[in-house]
Amino acid sequence: MQSTVVEIDGFRGQLISADHADYDIARAVWNGAIDRPPHLIARCIGTADTVAAVRFARDHNLEIAIRGGGHNVAGTAVCDDGIVIDLSAMRGVRVDPVGRRAWVQGGALWGDVDHETQAYGLATTGGIVSHTGVAGLTLGGGVGWLMRKHGLTVDNLLAVDVVTADGELLRASDHEHPDLFWALRGGGGNFGVVTSFEFGLHSVGPIVLTGPILWDATDAGEVLRFYRDFVRDAPDELGTVVRFGAAPPLPVIPADLHWRQVMMVGTCYAGPITDGEQVLRPLRTFRTPLLDLVGPTPYVGSRARSTRLSSTVGTTIGSPPTSPNSATTSST
């Protein structure tokens, strides 16, 4: 392991060590404050590569970090001196529109999933923004625009292919290795490397009523009190996210609002547009917002818009379901 030349039996992907030209790019994650130098990055192109990389790490007693989308703010997708098993090249998505299912590789982003599923007018609960990794969000529970209507991401997870610590490839579901499947849906980390996910899909879009509404930060107290009562009775088709911070300098935001401290409520109504307009009218007219960007938008485009607006920093609050019978009950 002292040599900069490393080979892994049965591995057909790309091995990136510290002297590789792409090393610094390959070890970078979404949180720029994370700066960790792994001994080796094993960029897999398939499940067999993942098996080979896990067995290699076990044989050489290397700490393992798993990179899917690399979005986790804690930076767990990279480690010091160990091996990063990088799934970012594994972004395939296959859709069965009749069975309403999708098979998604472990390195895919939610933008990849939406791109394929929306071709059939289908979707499942994914992240608020398009660049979030499918693996990290799913195994962490999965909060998104559709969660009030269709549950958390893990509520829509039907099965996984997972490589265990001894390098064995298993399929886990309610009927195969159910204890492992239970653990993967909320039990924390270190159960294995999930190389693919099978999700249930729902009819969504392709056009939804979506967009943010901005108020001045000084109005936050009154707006939040109104919002609390508003979402309590709102239908489950409406997903909302509250954010506090500075309005980003984007073309859709007037220049006089750039960097102004605001409260923003992001919205997405996953039902008929006319119904959504009626539901959202009280919120859109409360205390004359600084800016109202709500409008009919392709569901895929709504994620892209949320991605751009994610540069607004601050605390985020999501709206709960309206009843205890909602699909967002805990998976554990």
Side-chain angles (χ1 to χ4, degrees):
M1 294 301 297
Q2 299 303 314
S3 172
T4 58
V5 178
V6 179
E7 294 184 358
I8 297 178
D9 289 341
F11 189 88
R12 299 178 64 182
Q14 184 182 25
L15 297 176
I16 302 172
S17 53
D19 57 356
H20 194 287
D22 294 335
Y23 177 75
D24 285 332
I25 296 174
R27 70 185 180 91
V29 292
W30 181 78
N31 182 356
I34 302 298
D35 183 18
R36 295 174 184 151
H39 178 75
L40 181 67
I41 300 168
R43 184 166 290 163
C44 306
I45 59 173
T47 299
D49 280 353
T50 308
V51 172
V54 169
R55 291 176 177 173
F56 176 85
R58 181 184 178 94
D59 292 343
H60 293 85
N61 196 30
L62 290 173
E63 180 181 353
I64 295 177
I66 311 302
R67 182 189 182 112
H71 194 277
N72 179 270
V73 70
T76 53
V78 65
C79 59
D80 290 316
D81 301 322
I83 181 172
V84 173
I85 300 178
D86 183 353
L87 308 183
S88 63
M90 298 169 55
R91 294 175 61 171
V93 179
R94 180 169 63 89
V95 179
D96 172 10
V98 177
R100 294 196 171 195
R101 296 188 176 197
W103 289 264
V104 182
Q105 287 187 302
L109 308 181
W110 281 106
D112 302 324
V113 178
D114 292 339
H115 178 73
E116 298 297 333
T117 60
Q118 278 292 283
Y120 305 97
L122 300 171
T124 197
T125 304
I128 298 296
V129 298
S130 60
H131 56 72
T132 303
V134 170
L137 187 88
T138 301
L139 299 175
V143 171
W145 293 118
L146 304 180
M147 65 180 181
R148 302 180 77 230
K149 179 66 175 178
H150 298 301
L152 300 174
T153 307
V154 288
D155 294 320
N156 295 279
L157 185 62
L158 304 177
V160 297
D161 292 326
V162 58
V163 180
T164 62
D166 59 1
E168 183 180 3
L169 177 61
L170 301 176
R171 178 176 171 83
S173 67
D174 283 336
H175 309 293
E176 303 168 271
H177 304 285
D179 289 345
L180 176 59
F181 189 55
W182 176 88
L184 288 166
R185 292 183 299 158
N190 296 323
F191 293 105
V193 185
V194 178
T195 58
S196 67
F197 300 80
E198 181 181 344
F199 294 106
L201 303 176
H202 313 276
S203 294
V204 176
I207 303 298
V208 294
L209 187 67
T210 184
I213 310 167
L214 279 67
W215 292 265
D216 188 271
T218 58
D219 291 329
E222 291 186 53
V223 176
L224 276 176
R225 282 187 285 271
F226 178 83
Y227 170 81
R228 174 196 60 198
D229 298 333
F230 170 78
V231 296
R232 181 166 50 210
D233 299 321
D236 281 348
E237 285 79 3
L238 178 63
T240 60
V241 171
V242 177
R243 307 194 71 170
F244 301 89
L250 298 175
V252 295
I253 296 180
D256 62 325
L257 296 182
H258 290 179
W259 306 118
R260 182 167 172 174
Q261 294 299 308
V262 298
M263 171 187 169
M264 180 181 79
V265 178
T267 67
C268 181
Y269 189 85
I273 299 298
T274 53
D275 292 350
E277 289 174 340
Q278 182 176 354
V279 168
L280 280 170
R281 186 174 295 116
L283 182 65
R284 299 173 71 181
T285 57
F286 183 74
R287 286 195 63 83
T288 312
L290 295 173
L291 185 64
D292 181 350
L293 294 176
V294 174
T297 306
Y299 180 72
V300 173
S302 71
R303 293 286 189 88
R305 174 184 285 185
S306 296
T307 298
R308 292 191 295 271
L309 288 168
S310 67
S311 57
T312 301
V313 297
T315 303
T316 300
I317 303 173
S319 54
T322 59
S323 75
N325 294 322
S326 169
T328 55
T329 53
S330 171
S331 296
T332 57

